[in-house]
């Protein structure tokens, strides 16, 4: 198979978050959108879903599709996994889209918050997170968009959400890897993202040689869900640059 598009989902959702992009692109671009370990009813990768385990799941999905290389689009957690793919399987990467993500690791306070959240999820289940999922969308998002997000979160195993939270807390500093990225790269951020604000995402575009920066005005953290049309247009533009469209 020719190069494909690999879509890596955010936390605490699964690959169904990419349905608008898949619907728009499926007839034009081979697309692979795997569930990371434990999400979407898949098997867990242990008590902690490391970025290495998540990257291995993506490689398995590419192999199953017969795809040698992919333009890798990762949002938030998906961006962390995409960076791990670069470290471990760079020969499989034809290009990148890093959306609403960052290269720096958690600080000590951030890791402690993730540990506390994981403990609560394992004790109480995920109902509290479904009810109050945090600033995944902007203040301008409508009720239908929030309901879609909550529905996807509710479908996930609390153990999977907890394991991924702990794995994100253990992720390495990817900043040193950025100058060595030599494939076409687009970095996407959005002005309404208070979870990973633009000032944490935009330095990636400065550090990656030749990278382009795109800013979606008004969208929150899950920019591909809140502004799917605009996100898809940006994705199409980059896929054209990479020769997939």
């Amino acid at each position: 198979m020719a190069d494909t598009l690999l879509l890596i989902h955010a936390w605490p959702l699964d690959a169904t978050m990419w349905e608008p992009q898949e619907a728009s692109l499926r007839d034009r671009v081979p697309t692979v959108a795997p569930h990371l370990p434990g999400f979407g009813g898949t098997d867990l990768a242990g008590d902690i879903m490391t970025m290495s385990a998540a990257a291995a799941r993506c490689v398995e999905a590419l192999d199953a599709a017969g795809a040698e290389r992919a333009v890798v689009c990762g949002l938030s957690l998906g961006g962390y996994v995409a960076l791990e793919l670069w470290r471990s399987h760079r020969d499989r990467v034809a290009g990148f889209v890093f959306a609403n993500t960052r290269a720096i690791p958690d600080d000590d306070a951030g890791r402690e918050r993730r540990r506390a959240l994981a403990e609560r999820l394992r004790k109480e289940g995920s109902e509290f997170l479904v009810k109050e999922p945090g600033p995944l969308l902007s203040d301008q998002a409508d009720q239908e968009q929030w309901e879609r997000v909550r529905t996807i979160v509710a479908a996930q195993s609390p153990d999977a959400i907890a394991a991924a939270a702990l794995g994100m807390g253990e992720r390495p500093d990817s900043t040193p890897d950025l100058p060595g990225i030599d494939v076409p790269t687009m970095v996407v951020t959005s002005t309404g993202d208070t979870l990973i604000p633009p000032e944490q995402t935009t330095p990636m575009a400065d550090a990656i040689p030749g990278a382009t920066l795109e800013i979606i005005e008004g969208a929150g953290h899950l920019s591909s869900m809140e502004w799917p049309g605009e996100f898809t247009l940006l994705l199409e533009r980059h896929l054209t640059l990479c020769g997939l469209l």
Side-chain angles (χ1 to χ4, degrees):
M1 178 187 288
D3 290 351
T4 191
L5 170 64
L6 173 64
L7 298 168
I8 312 177
H9 65 80
W11 179 95
L13 291 84
D14 64 18
T16 60
M17 67 166 278
W18 295 114
E19 285 178 352
Q21 287 71 43
E22 288 193 280
S24 176
L25 295 169
R26 68 167 57 101
D27 293 334
R28 295 178 288 156
V29 179
T31 303
V32 177
H35 299 300
L36 296 178
F39 291 89
T42 61
D43 292 336
L44 290 165
D47 292 337
I48 300 175
M49 188 201 78
T50 64
M51 298 304 98
S52 178
R57 179 63 58 85
C58 292
V59 172
E60 290 172 1
L62 291 177
D63 289 344
E68 292 186 7
R69 300 195 311 163
V71 174
V72 182
C73 174
L75 193 150
S76 192
L77 162 61
Y80 308 153
V81 178
L83 287 162
E84 181 61 32
L85 275 170
W86 181 250
R87 285 187 289 271
S88 61
H89 294 86
R90 67 178 58 190
D91 60 312
R92 308 298 294 271
V93 179
F96 278 123
V97 177
F98 294 112
N100 302 87
T101 193
R102 57 190 174 187
I104 59 174
D106 285 355
D107 58 17
D108 289 341
R111 284 188 286 271
E112 181 55 39
R113 286 192 295 270
R114 293 196 198 276
R115 286 192 289 267
L117 176 60
E119 183 177 358
R120 187 178 179 190
L121 283 161
R122 286 168 174 164
K123 286 182 177 179
E124 302 179 21
S126 62
E127 185 175 349
F128 73 92
L129 188 64
V130 174
K131 184 177 180 181
E132 296 290 342
L136 296 178
L137 301 176
S138 76
D139 293 340
Q140 306 304 312
D142 60 33
Q143 188 59 40
E144 183 178 349
Q145 290 172 319
W146 275 112
E147 187 59 32
R148 176 61 180 152
V149 169
R150 290 190 173 96
T151 297
I152 299 175
V153 176
Q156 311 312 314
S157 156
D159 286 337
I161 299 173
L166 293 172
M168 287 189 289
E170 292 188 358
R171 75 185 188 277
D173 184 1
S174 295
T175 306
D177 298 303
L178 302 182
I181 294 177
D182 58 0
V183 294
T185 299
M186 179 171 68
V187 177
V188 179
T189 187
S190 43
T191 58
D193 188 350
T194 59
L195 193 59
I196 300 182
E199 57 264 29
Q200 293 187 14
T201 300
T202 54
M204 296 181 69
D206 295 330
I208 298 171
T212 59
L213 174 67
E214 299 290 349
I215 301 172
I216 301 178
E217 294 290 336
H221 185 60
L222 299 176
S223 59
S224 66
M225 294 185 70
E226 190 169 349
W227 288 89
E230 186 166 350
F231 190 96
T232 302
L233 284 174
L234 293 175
L235 188 55
E236 288 175 339
R237 185 186 306 167
H238 193 63
L239 291 174
T240 300
L241 176 66
C242 293
L244 265 70
L245 272 176

